Amino acid sequence: MKTSLLACTMLFCPVAFAAPPHWEYSGEAGPAQWARLTPEFGQCDGSNQSPVNLSDLVKAELAPLQFHYQVGGKSLVNNGHTVQVNYAPGSTLELDGMPFELTQFHFHAPSENLIEGRSYPLEGHLVHANDKGELAVVAVMFEPGQANPALSQAWQTLPTKAGEIHAFKEPISAASLLPANRDYYRFSGSLTTPPCSEGVRWLVMKQPVQVSQAQIDAFKAVMHHPNNRPVQPLNGRLVLQ
């Protein structure tokens, strides 16, 4: 006997409407336990995980990154783990001979990746996807200095509660998050949050970008706690520069 959609709606079908597993950055649902919270998070115990300490760097002929960004940041959401800007279609990164479209960018404080052991107070992740669903993340390190124009615009409507979404009155550009010098490190890794999916192309910009201390503090005040996953073993992976 088939159960109708209406019946599921009225009586509640736990399989169809199960909530995603809860995870945190500390405690019993913290990073050390992510892989054991649910089989869906099994890759969190994988051998090609992110973030990492970028060290033992290998010189390589890395192709210049080609950014084709439009003004497309349309809304800001507090998902309980970070503050994320959702981006309209049309902005791309050319990588490995194919376009990767910018879908969103978000932040971690302190930085998740370390550069030869150095931590930064804030790190931005610009997340891109190609037509195959493969991901490329451009990581930008931020250091205290002058206020960043994109964050000045975004932080005017900083959502303070998990689940809160604010639409921007005017779209914002991710271009001002990028450093003037586009030299970068490259390695193969994963998402830094569950389900920790591997096969992600990581591109970490060498030059940090300035943000004001007030902008850093505003983000930290909304998060209420550090939202960085500890660095993971390289397990023989090469970090190219």
Side-chain angles (χ1 to χ4, degrees), residues 193-216:
T193 58
C196 310
S197 306
E198 296 185 342
V200 178
R201 294 166 167 89
W202 275 89
L203 313 160
V204 180
M205 307 306 293
K206 289 186 177 183
Q207 182 184 38
V209 174
Q210 289 190 356
V211 293
S212 68
Q213 186 62 50
Q215 290 175 326
I216 296 171

Side-chain angles (χ1 to χ4, degrees), residues 48-52 54 62 65 93 95-96 100 106 108 112-113 123-127 135-141 184-193 196-205 229 237-240:
N48 293 291
Q49 289 290 292
S50 298
V52 301
L54 286 80
L62 295 178
L65 297 178
L93 162 68
L95 181 66
D96 297 339
F100 285 75
H106 61 269
H108 298 270
E112 295 201 297
N113 292 292
E123 179 177 351
H125 291 166
L126 294 90
V127 181
L135 299 180
V137 178
V138 174
V140 179
M141 301 298 179
Y184 63 100
Y185 308 100
R186 178 170 181 166
F187 69 96
S188 178
S190 72
L191 299 177
T192 66
T193 58
C196 310
S197 306
E198 296 185 342
V200 178
R201 294 166 167 89
W202 275 89
L203 313 160
V204 180
M205 307 306 293
R229 184 189 191 189
R237 284 176 286 169
L238 298 179
V239 180
L240 307 179

Side-chain angles (χ1 to χ4, degrees), residues 91-142:
S91 294
T92 60
L93 162 68
E94 292 290 332
L95 181 66
D96 297 339
M98 66 189 94
F100 285 75
E101 185 163 83
L102 176 63
T103 61
Q104 52 101 339
F105 60 85
H106 61 269
F107 303 89
H108 298 270
S111 69
E112 295 201 297
N113 292 292
L114 307 180
I115 298 180
E116 296 189 290
R118 180 179 177 183
S119 172
Y120 289 80
L122 185 70
E123 179 177 351
H125 291 166
L126 294 90
V127 181
H128 307 72
N130 65 12
D131 290 340
K132 302 175 184 178
E134 298 169 337
L135 299 180
V137 178
V138 174
V140 179
M141 301 298 179
F142 295 97

Side-chain angles (χ1 to χ4, degrees), residues 138-205:
V138 174
V140 179
M141 301 298 179
F142 295 97
E143 61 184 4
Q146 298 295 318
N148 181 272
L151 295 192
S152 292
Q153 188 176 353
W155 274 199
Q156 290 181 2
T157 56
L158 200 60
T160 58
K161 298 178 181 178
E164 191 175 346
I165 302 174
H166 290 166
F168 297 128
K169 293 181 180 179
E170 299 289 339
I172 68 174
S173 175
S176 64
L177 297 176
L178 299 173
N181 186 325
R182 303 292 169 81
D183 290 344
Y184 63 100
Y185 308 100
R186 178 170 181 166
F187 69 96
S188 178
S190 72
L191 299 177
T192 66
T193 58
C196 310
S197 306
E198 296 185 342
V200 178
R201 294 166 167 89
W202 275 89
L203 313 160
V204 180
M205 307 306 293

